[in-house]
Amino acid sequence: MYRTHNCGELRINKLGTEVTLSGWVQKVRKLGGMTFIDLRDRYGITQLVFNDETDAALSEKAQKTGREFVVKINGTVTERSNKNPEIPTGDIEIIVKKMEVLSKSEIPPFTIEENTDGGEEIRLKYRYLDLRRPVVQKGIILRHKMAQEIRNFLSNKEFLEIETPFLIKSTPEGARDFVVPSRMSDGKFYALPQSPQVFKQLLMIGGYDKYFQLTKCFRDEDFRADRQPEFTQIDCEMSFVEREDILTTFEEMTKHLFNKVMNVDFPNAFPRIEYDKAMENYGSDKPDIRFEMKIHDISKLSQNKGFKVFDDAEYVGAICAEGLATYSRKQTDKLIDFVKRPQIGAKGLVYVKYNEDGTFKSSVDKFYSPEDLKTWAEALSAKPGDLILVMSGEKSKTLTALGELRLEMGERLNLRDKNKFAPLWIIDFPLFEKDEETGQFHAMHHPFTSPKPGEFNLLETNPEAVKANAYDLVINGNEIGGGSIRIHNTEMQEKMFEHLGFTKEGAEEQFGFLMKAFKYGAPPHGGIAFGLDRWVALFNGSDSIRDVMAFPKNNAGRDLMIDAPAEIDEQQLTDLHLKIVK
Amino acid sequence: MYRTHNCGELRINKLGTEVTLSGWVQKVRKLGGMTFIDLRDRYGITQLVFNDETDAALSEKAQKTGREFVVKINGTVTERSNKNPEIPTGDIEIIVKKMEVLSKSEIPPFTIEENTDGGEEIRLKYRYLDLRRPVVQKGIILRHKMAQEIRNFLSNKEFLEIETPFLIKSTPEGARDFVVPSRMSDGKFYALPQSPQVFKQLLMIGGYDKYFQLTKCFRDEDFRADRQPEFTQIDCEMSFVEREDILTTFEEMTKHLFNKVMNVDFPNAFPRIEYDKAMENYGSDKPDIRFEMKIHDISKLSQNKGFKVFDDAEYVGAICAEGLATYSRKQTDKLIDFVKRPQIGAKGLVYVKYNEDGTFKSSVDKFYSPEDLKTWAEALSAKPGDLILVMSGEKSKTLTALGELRLEMGERLNLRDKNKFAPLWIIDFPLFEKDEETGQFHAMHHPFTSPKPGEFNLLETNPEAVKANAYDLVINGNEIGGGSIRIHNTEMQEKMFEHLGFTKEGAEEQFGFLMKAFKYGAPPHGGIAFGLDRWVALFNGSDSIRDVMAFPKNNAGRDLMIDAPAEIDEQQLTDLHLKIVK
């Protein structure tokens, strides 16, 4: 037997007990005729003691173990003279009588500690060692707990977890599919699912009523920071529901999760903000509402005063950064650099310092009198000591830029506390987005999303004005989930495909089976999908989803540990009827 | 709102309640001035009543709905005069006041009933309709319940569910991998996992102690009856364990599942049968022990009596089929045909009828006296009225053939009751199988399996005799799970690869990262994996795993509903740097 207890469970009430423990050597130290080992496993750390005098040979053996050796010991639980209140086992230690080295370890390429000295590349290469670090373990354990809570919550509500297939068909739309060549059918391919969307709709048509699944999805995107080619979705769908049913069910699930996992309660309903309002007030459809700092439209107050930049702009907007009137010229210049970065791409930034003494100092003093600036301050409810930041230009772009600036200022003012959570629903998305260049409509959510009730008629006359019956769950500026009420009849779906520029044949080829399914009694239905990786990262206080995945790939989509993707045998290629074109 | 109740929950205590229901029209019938609709959803069937006199228009509307229409109704719960004790809602019906057709349906291509008139091809093509059949729903719901029970059981035992990656590296070993071309790395490929074996071992090395995962695995095999290219595994691994720890844990899980899902209890420990004994007694390493009918070695009793066939054979074995001495010549001839089929491939079969009157009649009366045959009967504990069936030849082949014959006779004697369950463990497998043609050793389980403790030394001197520390869970003749204690050090693993004919370079290229991981403190570990599809099918009484998968592929690996695999765009191929070779 390798152990009677794990390394995290022994307490003072076990004094005198003979125990067997196994684990990793965290640290070895010699101190005043004694040798100490901190023995570690997933559950904690227990201190082992070897008396150099009573059993010199054993002590020596202990001293020869190195970091990350795996050992098994027998010994007696004893009270520590020098207690450690930092760890739950800190009142006791084990007087070791016997020790066996189960596995040796070479010196690890980085320290296995909370704050390691290893860079990300080497930690990904030796991920099995990185996985031993307490901070990584915490994320993986949290992920398990969240998944369990979600499954139990939904199961108790009569949802069924149903597995949908991974080897499906490629749909040349949206992001790229990963494809899988078929050996049995020459020149044909399966595709890996970007989401189980169509299958969950078919399950509703199949009468399953309430479905969920925690499942991997795949997108062959050009990798950006913190994107992974495979990611996990909490995918849900319900029949005979309206938007309210979905929001109620999943707001309850979200609150349940906050309560069970984070011990945070939300007594009130989550705010619901229309997409248009979110864009106007926060410059984002995933606003971080942990802090106020709303964007205000000061077009009327700022135009026609001779400042050509504003006069020519479709829109002038501003935010108020509390208490930052003391910003130096250097600091305001850096802010201008910030908004000019390609990620934001603004042309510039106007600032107005509302000084403590009530005076104004701005970068546009030439054009605006203190009285003018006072009206801006009033519109923004700015107080003496605050800094007003103004941007102008095409409305939607300016709002987006102001939204980014707002997040930056929130960060600088420490208003984005990782331990504070502000969930909300964004509702009433536009059904379509128009491609500026081609004039082509795209589905903002996806092509199966239904228009809001009562807006069906607008579809013909003014498609751009049609609101989708769609919704997103946003927490702390992260889109955690999104969904919609779906179209459930053939005519409406055909009309949708038409608006999206599908030919009849193209729609038939891609989604013929779904259109056909609609003809055999499709119930009204809708659903939502959450990004599990992002949600766990948020709860874990991690900046990257890589921190909460056991074996993530790097930003180039490579698994550095197993060295994949890799070349395959010539024979495999031949069997698949494929040739590589260099 | 679409419904106040579902179609399975209303009872007599709700008389007089105004309700709203939505569901599918199962059946419409007119009877004595009334129109009835059976309204169906996942939860049950509720009878709707329309009075042709009081609201003729509504009645007519009801009569016009067809099978599988989706309707919403408002009405009052009333007591039925003609109660139906067959269904839980059979005491009540709904007097309908209002009805809305939510979706029409064309006439389904097959009947949506327990026993349908549709063949498998058409049911797979319209799987969303097949999924509405109660018998299919029962399997899918059972699957959900089993998965939930497994997850909760293991979570309560401190197992963590950890997701391992799907885009990994191809290992040209065992079954074929499905591969995924990488767009970002020209000419390189990911592979889909055949199992998470290596990753779960790395998780043990990473210190996660107890891991499980319900996950899809992929094998590009030449499809045989009841194989699917993607299937679901309950994958488990534990650290600091010996075989006994694994068997105890998962026997408890199995009993828990039987209890919670099937309401079947096993008060005693599951039998454990050594591989060699299983082969000798049942001619199979997955014996169906719902019935006895053991194989007996009668070589000594049957050889050297002048019957050349037996005299020349390495082995002569027999089984006793109770009460079948009355078999006619035609019936015994058919048994001979049965064992001669290519699936079994035996040359023939000798029978001995132990007649009710105590006499013997055999196909080898020329060579054996009644006294000789009596010794056979005694060896088999045969009674008058029984039929003894004898086969001979090379020992292991003869045992396998007798094993098949045993199953056939068990079937004929109705000894394989679907409602009876007989779980057992098979232990002490050989570590290696020898390829008869090449003389090459193969790992019987997989190359990471450890030899049994105490047999390490045999590895050099007599590898064929080495027993693996491996085990299978068998229920009713199905291998439901299998696993082993793993090798956890580099030297042993290197020796294993050597025996399996890997070059040092080949082993390094394929499994270098695992060998390297062993060098940084690998704990002793072991695990097991269960086939969820097979287990659900067994509990569901289904012959095929397709019955318990929502969207199965056909025997040629095609999804007939979505028509996959399919051709992909030229552009997609170009992006992937691939060309199809016809």
Side-chain angles (χ1 to χ4, degrees), chain A residues 256-316:
Chain A
H256 174 87
L257 214 52
F258 266 110
N259 171 279
K260 289 284 177 183
V261 178
M262 302 300 285
N263 206 17
V264 170
D265 286 305
F266 293 95
N268 300 320
F270 295 169
R272 294 184 189 180
I273 304 180
E274 293 90 357
Y275 173 87
D276 289 346
K277 278 265 172 302
M279 293 310 296
E280 275 178 26
N281 289 332
Y282 304 101
S284 170
D285 61 356
K286 44 182 184 179
D288 185 347
I289 60 167
R290 279 175 296 185
F291 64 106
E292 190 76 356
M293 206 191 285
K294 280 187 187 161
I295 297 168
H296 289 264
D297 181 348
I298 59 163
S299 306
K300 280 186 188 152
L301 303 175
S302 62
Q303 288 177 326
N304 303 316
K305 301 275 178 176
F307 183 42
K308 200 168 175 321
V309 175
F310 284 3
D311 289 351
D312 290 352
E314 181 190 3
Y315 171 89
V316 186

Side-chain angles (χ1 to χ4, degrees), chain A residues 73-133:
Chain A
I73 61 99
N74 302 90
T76 315
V77 183
T78 321
E79 186 163 6
R80 273 167 81 157
S81 55
N82 189 8
K83 292 185 182 167
N84 179 354
E86 307 263 305
I87 56 171
T89 62
D91 288 352
I92 59 101
E93 61 192 6
I94 313 294
I95 309 284
V96 177
K97 291 176 181 157
K98 229 177 104 185
M99 185 180 87
E100 185 188 342
V101 173
L102 299 173
S103 281
K104 293 183 180 182
S105 175
E106 294 184 5
I107 293 166
F110 50 87
T111 54
I112 315 271
E113 279 168 14
E114 197 72 26
N115 293 307
T116 177
D117 56 357
E120 181 157 39
E121 289 275 302
I122 192 142
R123 285 188 290 112
L124 284 177
K125 184 163 178 192
Y126 294 86
R127 182 64 173 171
Y128 43 89
L129 297 180
D130 199 28
L131 280 166
R132 289 184 191 164
R133 291 170 56 230

Side-chain angles (χ1 to χ4, degrees), chain A residues 469-534:
Chain A
N469 207 348
Y471 30 79
D472 275 1
L473 176 70
V474 173
I475 307 176
N476 292 7
N478 297 288
E479 182 198 325
I480 293 297
S484 64
I485 299 297
R486 324 297 182 187
I487 296 168
H488 70 279
N489 72 65
T490 325
E491 300 76 44
M492 172 75 75
Q493 189 65 66
E494 274 172 357
K495 184 164 290 173
M496 189 60 134
F497 284 137
E498 204 179 288
H499 278 291
L500 294 170
F502 277 86
T503 61
K504 220 175 157 95
E505 295 70 34
E508 174 61 31
E509 200 194 314
Q510 285 308 314
F511 300 109
F513 59 96
L514 181 64
M515 312 281 270
K516 200 172 204 173
F518 282 154
K519 292 185 177 158
Y520 291 98
H525 61 287
I528 192 164
F530 303 91
L532 180 65
D533 310 288
R534 174 71 47 215

Side-chain angles (χ1 to χ4, degrees), chain A residues 3-7 9-10 14 17-22 41:
Chain A
R3 60 187 176 194
T4 53
H5 299 78
N6 65 46
C7 296
E9 69 179 304
L10 289 168
K14 289 282 195 271
T17 310
E18 298 294 310
V19 298
T20 306
L21 299 183
S22 289
D41 66 14

Side-chain angles (χ1 to χ4, degrees), chain A residues 3 42-43 103 131-132 143-144 158 163 166 189-190 205 208-209 230 232 520 522 557 566 577 579 581, chain B residues 3 42-43 103 131-132 158 161 163 166 189-190 205 208-209 230 232 520 522 557 566 577 579 581:
Chain A
R3 60 187 176 194
R42 184 185 117 199
Y43 311 95
S103 281
L131 280 166
R132 289 184 191 164
R143 185 179 181 115
H144 163 74
E158 294 194 297
E163 295 171 60
F166 279 79
F189 292 75
Y190 300 100
I205 295 170
Y208 285 79
D209 207 75
E230 47 179 310
T232 304
Y520 291 98
H577 321 282
K579 213 180 116 178
V581 187
Chain B
R3 61 185 175 194
R42 184 185 117 198
Y43 311 95
S103 280
L131 281 166
R132 289 184 191 164
E158 292 193 298
E161 183 159 21
E163 295 170 60
F166 279 80
F189 292 76
Y190 300 100
I205 296 170
Y208 285 78
D209 208 75
E230 47 178 309
T232 304
Y520 292 98
H577 321 283
K579 211 179 116 178
V581 187

Side-chain angles (χ1 to χ4, degrees), chain A residues 202-271:
Chain A
L202 290 170
L203 285 171
M204 293 303 103
I205 295 170
Y208 285 79
D209 207 75
K210 292 177 183 169
Y211 145 93
F212 80 100
Q213 190 184 190
L214 273 71
T215 190
K216 277 280 174 75
C217 301
F218 304 87
R219 265 174 223 174
D220 185 12
E221 292 178 306
D222 294 321
F223 299 104
R224 282 181 275 159
D226 219 24
R227 288 272 181 160
Q228 288 279 320
E230 47 179 310
F231 55 96
T232 304
Q233 200 157 294
I234 307 160
D235 195 48
C236 310
E237 197 81 4
M238 302 169 79
S239 288
F240 302 114
V241 289
E242 290 157 341
R243 184 181 78 181
E244 195 55 40
D245 302 297
I246 305 265
L247 297 193
T248 304
T249 302
F250 293 98
E251 183 162 322
E252 192 185 333
M253 184 184 94
T254 306
K255 287 180 174 179
H256 174 87
L257 214 52
F258 266 110
N259 171 279
K260 289 284 177 183
V261 178
M262 302 300 285
N263 206 17
V264 170
D265 286 305
F266 293 95
N268 300 320
F270 295 169

Side-chain angles (χ1 to χ4, degrees), chain A residues 65 424 453 498:
Chain A
T65 65
L424 71 144
E498 204 179 288

Side-chain angles (χ1 to χ4, degrees), chain A residues 433-442:
Chain A
E433 287 180 301
K434 199 171 188 171
D435 188 307
E436 303 267 313
E437 283 174 39
T438 63
Q440 171 72 53
F441 284 122
H442 293 294

